[in-house]
Every structure is written in C-alpha cells, then in structure tokens.
Amino acid sequence: MPSTLVIGSTGLVGSFILSTLLADSSVSAVHTISRRAPKSTGPTLHATVEADTSQWTSKLAAIQPPPDTVISSLGTTRAQAGGIANQWKIDHDLNVELARAAKEAGVKRFVFVSSAGTRGLLGSLAPYSRMKQGVEDTVRDLGFETAIILRPGLILGEREVPHQGGPLMTGIARGMGRWFGLGLQDKFAQEAEVIARAAVHAAKIAEEGKAPAKYWVLEQGDIVRLGRTEWKS
C-alpha cells in the first residue's frame, strides 16, 4: 500500500488507524497532521505537529510526493469544542477544507469516518448529522478515484476525555455482546479498532482497484466484515 496521510491521528479511531498502518510493512510512508504528537511511532511515520488548524491545508499541500490516500477520522464533541459553532468548524469546515486540499494535491483516494444515522429521517434536523452530510457530499463530489465513507454506530473504546454518558453506553454495549453475542452488539456499536481496520482494509481494496464503486459507503455490517471477519493482520 502506498503512502497514506492520517487526519485525526490522536483521536480514538484515528490512533488505531495510525498504529495499524505503522504495523503494515506494505505501507511505504505514513504522514500525520495533528495539534499534538501522536502516541504511536515507527520508522515510516512522518508526523507534522501544528497547533493552528488553519495551517493544516498548507501542511498537506507541502507533503512531497503527495500521499496516495488520505484517511480522516477528525472530529470533536460540542462540549470539547465549546459549542455547536466551534464543533462545526472542526467536524465540517476543516474536514471539507482538507478534502479539497487533498484533491488539489493529487491525492487519489479519500476515506472519511462519518457516523451512522446521518441519512435517517431525522438527519436533516440534527446539527451533528448535517455536519457529517456536508463532508460526505463534498468528498463524493470532488472526484477522487475512490471516495470511501464509513458510517459506524456507537464507537467503543477508552477515550482520553470520556464523552458524556460514553462509559455507561460502552459498558451496556459490551455487556450485551457478552451476554447475547457479538451479532447483537454489531448492529449498533463497533470497537474503535475494528472501525480503524475497516478503514485501512477498504483503502487497500481501493488501491488494488477492487472497490465496488467509485463512491463506496460502508455501513455498520460492512465495517464489521472488513474490520474483523475478513481482517488479516
């Protein structure tokens, strides 16, 4: 797999994407752009630390040669951002700007970790869903060789800053998985590592020219299949 840029590499899913890529000997180079240094390291890692997110598009453009694939799991919460307006700047605006910069730089494939339910009946009413819809639509319309969207459900894992109610929901989901089987858990919640592996696996499939469509959407069942059932480490 050729060079890859990871955006959101210090977050829950992004950190697993990064460690998965660094452990893969077929990946020639792994680039990151983040506000703080990622925890994972390795000989193929080229980390750019920039606290000013307005500089990220220029940092992306400066990567030479440009990465073949960009994987973005960038996102925050309303509480961490300090309000819905600030969350929109990260979850929507920055992702859109980076997708456009990636296309201009010659990136071939763009993978975006979105969220389940964004296209549901109430999706147009929820600000969070509208953020994700805007990014999905931009990635689709930019004309990458392959655009891949992942729509996971509840993301399970230990966050540095727990989301409100997150530990409780994680405990409930994992408990249901233990008592009633992973099949039930898989319908609404996925482990962060499984989501990360699915993103990397899908990018590899696209790089091999085997993506089922130019615009490829992975729902929760697809994520489980690529990230766990068909995953080969």
Side-chain angles (χ1 to χ4, degrees):
M1 184 176 175
S3 64
T4 303
L5 167 63
V6 182
I7 304 294
S9 61
T10 60
L12 178 57
V13 174
S15 62
F16 279 114
I17 292 172
L18 177 58
S19 61
T20 299
L21 289 168
L22 291 175
D24 190 336
S25 60
S26 71
V27 181
S28 59
V30 183
H31 299 271
T32 61
I33 302 173
S34 55
R35 285 179 285 196
R36 52 193 173 89
K39 291 185 176 180
S40 295
T41 60
T44 56
L45 176 62
H46 305 270
T48 297
V49 178
E50 175 55 71
D52 183 359
T53 57
S54 69
Q55 300 298 313
W56 284 16
T57 55
S58 61
K59 297 295 183 182
L60 189 159
I63 299 174
Q64 294 297 326
D68 296 274
T69 300
V70 172
I71 305 178
S72 177
S73 61
L74 179 67
T76 186
T77 65
R78 184 183 306 188
Q80 287 177 310
I84 192 68
N86 288 332
Q87 185 186 13
W88 190 280
K89 292 176 183 178
I90 299 297
D91 283 42
H92 178 274
D93 295 351
L94 186 53
N95 269 308
V96 166
E97 291 166 6
L98 289 165
R100 289 172 175 163
K103 178 60 178 177
E104 291 177 4
V107 170
K108 298 176 182 177
R109 293 167 289 277
F110 198 99
V111 182
F112 175 60
V113 180
S114 184
S115 179
T118 58
R119 302 289 173 172
L121 292 176
L122 300 178
S124 62
L125 302 178
Y128 181 78
S129 294
R130 293 203 303 271
M131 293 180 207
K132 300 301 184 183
Q133 289 173 12
V135 181
E136 290 183 10
D137 292 348
T138 297
V139 172
R140 178 197 63 203
D141 295 341
L142 279 171
F144 291 100
E145 286 187 11
T146 312
I148 301 171
I149 306 296
L150 282 77
R151 294 177 180 161
L154 176 66
I155 300 174
L156 306 179
E158 310 306 318
R159 300 178 186 272
E160 291 185 2
V161 180
H163 291 182
Q164 185 175 7
L168 175 61
M169 292 300 296
T170 294
I172 292 173
R174 286 175 170 167
M176 293 179 70
R178 286 192 298 269
W179 284 100
F180 302 105
L182 284 176
L184 178 60
Q185 176 186 305
D186 291 340
K187 293 182 181 300
F188 70 96
Q190 295 81 45
E191 295 288 344
E193 187 172 19
V194 171
I195 300 166
R197 288 174 172 177
V200 173
H201 194 172
K204 284 189 171 185
I205 291 171
E207 189 270 330
E208 294 169 355
K210 298 179 181 178
K214 181 180 175 68
Y215 179 63
W216 183 15
V217 178
L218 279 69
E219 303 291 355
Q220 294 179 75
D222 304 309
I223 290 169
V224 171
R225 175 173 58 83
L226 291 184
R228 190 177 70 218
T229 307
E230 298 179 2
W231 175 256
K232 296 179 181 179
S233 58

